[in-house]
Amino acid sequence: MIHIPILRAGCPYRSLNVHHVPHVQTGEPIAEVSQANRGLIAKDLTTAAHHKRALESLSVSELVAICKKAAHFFTDSVLPLGAESQSPGDYIRQLSATTGMPESLCRNNMNKIRTVLEEMEAVLGGLTRGLNLSVLDAGWGVQDKRPLSYVRQTNVLGAVLPSNSPGVHSLWLPAIPMKTPLVLKPGGEEPWTPYRIAQALIASDCPPESFGFYPTDYTGAAEILLRSGRSMLFGGESTVAPWKTDPRVQIHGPGRSKIVIANDEISGWEKYLDVMVASIVDNGGRSCINASGIWAPAHGREIAAALANRLAQIDARPLDDPQAQIAAFSNPKIAHQLSSLIDDQLKTPGARDVTAEVRGGGRLIKKAGCTYLLPTVIWCESPEHPLVNTEYLFPFVSVVEVPQPEILERIRSTLVVSAFTEDEAFINELLGSPDVERLNLGAISTNQIAWDQPHEGNLFEHLYRQRAFQITGTRLS
């Protein structure tokens, strides 16, 4: 059986305590993963200041070149996996087998990570708003004839990672060229991607000391969050809630991303149907940037019916089928619980499962040993219904009619809004809304990423702060 070790400053370490990762189809374990206890994590983090020196010895431009090289190792090369090796094909099959994500979608996510590694210079340019990155090498520099200085606020970036989609791992990658070592806690079903990224970077001459890989339980995860000067936390509402007020922790929780159709475009809503479908379904509906809500001032029932007709055509397919669009649940109990929860909420008057009416059947199915939830479109008569502003781990969307003047009052915290409008006054309202983290204006799907734009918070500003800095004029020449 494959054994995935802990990485302590890049060095493999085998623990007596292991976690078995099962195949979603058979339930048989396909890998055992060494588990780190909180004491081990606490001990290793005491040496964080020493490990950062290895990255500090390299320039940002050298680290960007390492990232470019790692992009090809990640997608094209055989890399170490504990005492064994892993080809790109092995990685795709193993990732699919434990997460339930179709192999075609795993491959898409693999290419997303490659793109970020290849385009790291542009990514850093977006995060730093065009800062001359040599400033991070010298500690200070001159830009627009003014001296400036930035100071890193931590010795490491901790990351408590999810299992829902491999693409999210691209979010912590810029830490390496920003000279910040990583302490990674992988998701229980998804140790593959962070481990492979670390091996690709090490193979590209990135200092091994830059990587801590600590599969662990919730106590170990808490240790990482408490002891890392800066960290990222991915998870559901109950996971992220205790950390929301901690400025050291960048929260990546439920997105509740939405499409908003304004008054000036609602009569032509049909032309946006493809964008709406892509926003809901792409990547198996597993991302926080997938649309889980359509908000419109009129034609809500027609929009819900049109979406249901399209989404009801999507069926569960084998994980190796190139046409597969939805993922199997690694834990079938969660699929049953989610479906039952939706059915219970539908008992509140004012909502209908429109896809179930089109299909003539329920959303939970079993096929070839796997459990799936089929895409679901809910029509809600009021924004007060409990199925509005709800997000689930499969293609799920609620459609609701809300007068345009009330939309921004009711929308609540939203990771992405794709707004279909040319109304300048409404655009200005959207631009001024603190509840909208990312704003797409026009026919842009909610899950379309611009890698040179911050995703959810700005990692550069999380890791660095600008200090007040003055220097005598002779040093500026």
Side-chain angles (χ1 to χ4, degrees), residues 9-10 22 49 113 188 198 234 244-245 267 279 293 300 317 347 355 420 428:
I113 292 168
F234 296 79
K244 278 190 172 181
T245 59
S267 62
S279 296
R317 293 174 178 265
K347 294 174 183 176
T355 33
F420 305 155
N428 286 334

Side-chain angles (χ1 to χ4, degrees), residues 197-436:
I197 291 172
Q199 295 302 322
L201 284 161
I202 291 169
S204 305
D205 301 320
C206 189
E209 304 97 305
S210 309
F211 300 99
F213 177 82
Y214 296 97
T216 186
D217 60 13
Y218 72 94
T219 63
E223 200 70 27
I224 290 171
L225 297 174
L226 288 168
R227 291 183 178 269
S228 300
R230 291 292 183 270
S231 57
M232 306 170 77
L233 172 61
F234 296 79
E237 199 69 62
S238 60
T239 299
V240 304
W243 303 93
K244 278 190 172 181
T245 59
D246 191 332
R248 300 170 304 163
V249 182
Q250 188 181 82
I251 299 296
H252 295 265
R256 299 187 178 91
S257 298
K258 299 174 180 68
I259 287 172
V260 172
I261 311 175
N263 286 331
D264 63 319
E265 291 293 319
I266 193 59
S267 62
W269 64 266
E270 294 97 332
K271 67 185 177 185
Y272 296 114
L273 189 59
D274 287 345
V275 177
M276 288 189 269
V277 170
S279 296
I280 299 162
V281 174
D282 283 0
N283 205 42
R286 283 195 156 199
S287 302
C288 54
I289 54 176
N290 283 111
S292 55
I294 310 288
W295 291 49
H299 299 290
R301 286 182 174 83
E302 296 100 308
I303 293 170
L307 288 171
N309 284 327
R310 290 280 295 272
L311 269 60
Q313 298 173 28
I314 298 172
D315 198 4
R317 293 174 178 265
L319 298 180
D320 60 357
D321 188 327
Q323 303 302 315
Q325 291 181 270
I326 59 174
F329 276 75
S330 55
N331 185 345
K333 290 181 180 178
I334 293 177
H336 284 271
Q337 290 169 356
L338 291 181
S339 191
S340 296
L341 177 60
I342 294 168
D343 288 337
D344 288 342
Q345 291 172 322
L346 283 168
K347 294 174 183 176
T348 301
R352 291 170 29 229
D353 183 342
V354 191
T355 33
E357 296 170 6
V358 174
R359 278 194 301 262
R363 72 184 68 82
L364 191 145
I365 64 167
K366 292 184 178 180
K367 185 174 284 190
C370 292
T371 302
Y372 299 84
L373 290 178
L374 297 175
T376 297
V377 179
I378 305 292
W379 160 246
C380 295
E381 295 177 2
S382 163
E384 303 297 335
H385 195 277
L387 285 169
V388 176
N389 262 323
T390 303
E391 178 179 292
Y392 294 114
L393 196 62
F394 73 106
F396 172 94
V397 68
S398 60
V399 183
V400 63
E401 279 186 16
V402 181
Q404 182 174 304
E406 298 180 19
I407 288 177
L408 292 182
E409 298 174 11
R410 294 179 173 274
I411 202 170
R412 293 192 290 175
S413 179
T414 302
L415 176 55
V416 186
V417 167
S418 285
F420 305 155
T421 183
E422 298 290 337
D423 180 344
E424 291 296 332
F426 187 50
I427 289 172
N428 286 334
E429 290 180 36
L430 287 161
L431 289 168
S433 173
D435 292 323
V436 179

